[in-house]
Amino acid sequence: MAENKIVLSGMRPTGKLHLGNFHGALKNWVSLQGKYDCYFFVADLHSLTTAYQHTENLAQNSEDMLIDWLTAGLDPQKCTIFIQSDVPQISELNTLLGMITPLGWLLRNPTYKEQIQELLKQKYAGQLDEKSLGEKIASIAGDDEISCFGFLGYPVLMATDILIQQAAYVPVGKDQTAHLEIARDLTRRFAEIYGEQVFTEPQPLYTTVARVPGIDGRKMSKSYNNAISLGEDLDSVRKKVMSMFTDPNKKGAHDPANPEGCVAYAFHKIYNPNVSKRCEECKAGALGCVACKKELFALMEPELVAFSERRKLFEGDKAQLAQIVKDGKARACQNAEQTLQRVKRVMRMIK
Ligand code: TRP
């Protein structure tokens, strides 16, 4: 191992991964294993903070996500892979950190506010006008379905994930900055209150990863219905590629166009080794969008086929998967237990 520093990251189990997760995060994780002491986990407790009423597929989603990780190249010999709820120490430290987290930090957290807005919009879609929705948002604390204790505590749980394993680096997207800041603040607050620095102060690890837009040009997300899944059947992928958003000013096949903002071009950046040539061709109006998209699909196809083939190997070997989860749990629990014991001593809960 090049460095002993601990790297940790997690994803909420939303089922099979899409290309945004794959190129945006997972490939980066794969390249970090072996360089650091890496911990990667399925954040099933975090998914309960919002989807607590829809748990029918929770365990299956966790398994699907693990299989995708392994297929993408996460190697249990090189990193620790585990399921968050398999580590009871996390729930215990979460309780303790909850005792010292000021409510204001959580209420002011911009992600909390944004998520509430998004969830309320979904819940009242078509039922409330703009003004009533605004009033609802202003009085979120009154919405029993959405404003739960666990949801407000999302950043405390995330801080717990990080601090309990003593992670120095946390590879995350920019959207997680506010959460990570709370984790950092908690390390200091704990030290101030109890007089001892028990936790490593974590740093975000922003890497320049590919930005993968959804087929409509917004961020790729299952909930926006604009995602291409890993392992999606090829006909469906072809249709999605052919319907990708392109420069709306390009009317005829041989009009010059602007590749920036074109979704097909963003994908060419990932899949096409001659992307700069494509950029010139597009600007010169040398080819139409249909031809460009057909070529893109041909470039994507081998990777998608290879992924599906490889995925079958892991899917078909439940015993191997169970062993990986068991080993990951053991390692994650052992490391977490060390931190928890120190915390309890410093908090004078044990002598
Ligand atoms: N909040 C993260 C996300 O939505 C997932 C997550 C939970 C996480 N716990 C974590 C990421 C700890 C990094 C470290 O993407």
Side-chain angles (χ1 to χ4, degrees):
M1 198 142 320
E3 262 201 78
N4 280 328
K5 290 218 163 117
I6 293 177
V7 162
L8 171 136
S9 196
M11 278 187 211
R12 280 174 287 170
T14 43
K16 291 188 182 158
L17 293 179
H18 57 58
L19 292 179
N21 307 128
F22 182 55
H23 295 288
L26 199 51
K27 281 190 164 172
N28 184 36
W29 289 10
V30 172
S31 74
L32 289 164
Q33 60 175 354
K35 290 195 199 130
Y36 297 94
D37 185 5
C38 290
Y39 288 72
F40 299 117
F41 69 97
V42 177
D44 58 344
L45 295 175
H46 274 104
S47 73
L48 287 171
T49 63
T50 50
Y52 63 91
Q53 285 169 318
H54 308 287
T55 56
E56 6 2 288
N57 300 322
L58 187 51
Q60 188 59 50
N61 284 348
S62 296
E63 184 179 302
D64 282 340
M65 183 171 253
L66 278 174
I67 293 175
D68 277 345
W69 288 1
L70 297 168
T71 307
L74 279 194
D75 178 351
Q77 306 296 329
K78 294 188 190 153
C79 65
T80 301
I81 303 172
F82 65 101
I83 296 176
Q84 187 183 29
S85 64
D86 272 349
V87 181
Q89 289 86 352
I90 294 174
S91 293
E92 198 171 343
L93 182 62
N94 184 50
T95 302
L96 299 179
L97 289 180
M99 304 304 170
I100 70 162
T101 309
L103 265 184
W105 291 10
L106 302 177
L107 292 166
R108 278 196 300 272
N109 172 22
T111 317
Y112 174 70
K113 292 189 199 157
E114 279 157 27
Q115 282 217 30
I116 293 260
Q117 285 180 18
E118 200 47 51
L119 289 167
L120 284 172
K121 266 192 222 150
Q122 279 169 22
K123 182 174 169 189
Y124 294 107
Q127 293 174 42
L128 287 181
D129 57 42
E130 200 77 1
K131 184 163 167 281
S132 325
L133 188 63
E135 283 164 7
K136 271 261 179 255
I137 291 170
S139 65
I140 42 173
D143 194 297
D144 290 346
E145 296 235 306
I146 285 170
S147 217
C148 283
F149 177 57
F151 182 51
L152 181 66
Y154 187 110
V156 185
L157 183 57
M158 179 162 160
T160 306
D161 296 328
I162 300 167
L163 304 186
I164 204 162
Q165 305 294 355
Q166 303 286 353
Y169 299 117
V170 184
V172 279
K174 285 262 157 70
D175 60 327
Q176 299 294 312
T177 303
H179 286 149
L180 211 69
E181 206 45 54
I182 291 180
R184 291 161 55 78
D185 289 344
L186 274 173
T187 64
R188 288 182 224 125
R189 185 165 162 85
F190 186 91
E192 272 162 29
I193 296 173
Y194 299 109
E196 201 173 316
Q197 183 75 44
V198 170
F199 303 115
T200 307
E201 194 170 303
Q203 307 278 349
L205 202 65
Y206 304 124
T207 25
T208 40
V209 285
R211 196 190 82 88
V212 189
I215 56 170
D216 58 1
R218 292 187 292 169
K219 182 181 166 169
M220 187 178 279
S221 161
K222 273 219 170 125
S223 53
Y224 290 160
N225 230 341
N226 64 3
I228 298 176
S229 311
L230 282 166
E232 189 164 328
D233 86 85
L234 291 173
D235 273 337
S236 162
V237 176
R238 185 185 289 111
K239 280 193 197 109
K240 286 184 180 173
V241 170
M242 295 315 290
S243 69
M244 280 176 175
F245 177 82
T246 54
D247 181 354
N249 294 321
K250 180 170 166 120
K251 299 280 188 271
H254 291 287
D255 289 347
N258 177 11
E260 297 311 323
C262 168
V263 174
Y265 181 66
F267 275 76
H268 271 284
K269 281 192 191 157
I270 299 169
Y271 289 98
N272 190 341
N274 297 317
V275 62
S276 52
K277 183 161 164 260
R278 174 49 39 92
C279 180
E280 296 315 314
E281 289 166 343
C282 175
K283 283 182 184 158
L287 87 172
C289 296
V290 171
C292 176
K293 287 171 169 175
K294 279 193 177 148
E295 203 187 309
L296 171 63
F297 178 74
L299 288 163
M300 293 168 69
E301 196 177 358
E303 186 184 89
L304 293 171
V305 171
F307 193 92
S308 297
E309 287 302 309
R310 198 171 132 80
R311 196 180 197 284
K312 286 197 196 113
L313 301 176
F314 292 102
E315 252 165 15
D317 194 344
K318 294 285 184 251
Q320 186 197 21
L321 196 66
Q323 190 61 46
I324 291 171
V325 169
K326 193 171 161 223
D327 291 347
K329 170 182 169 157
R331 278 189 262 167
C333 284
Q334 197 198 12
N335 197 42
E337 185 62 30
Q338 287 186 16
T339 305
L340 188 61
Q341 288 306 318
R342 280 189 69 196
V343 167
K344 285 180 163 179
R345 259 197 310 277
V346 170
M347 289 178 78
R348 295 181 281 270
M349 297 167 72
I350 48 176
K351 287 200 251 175

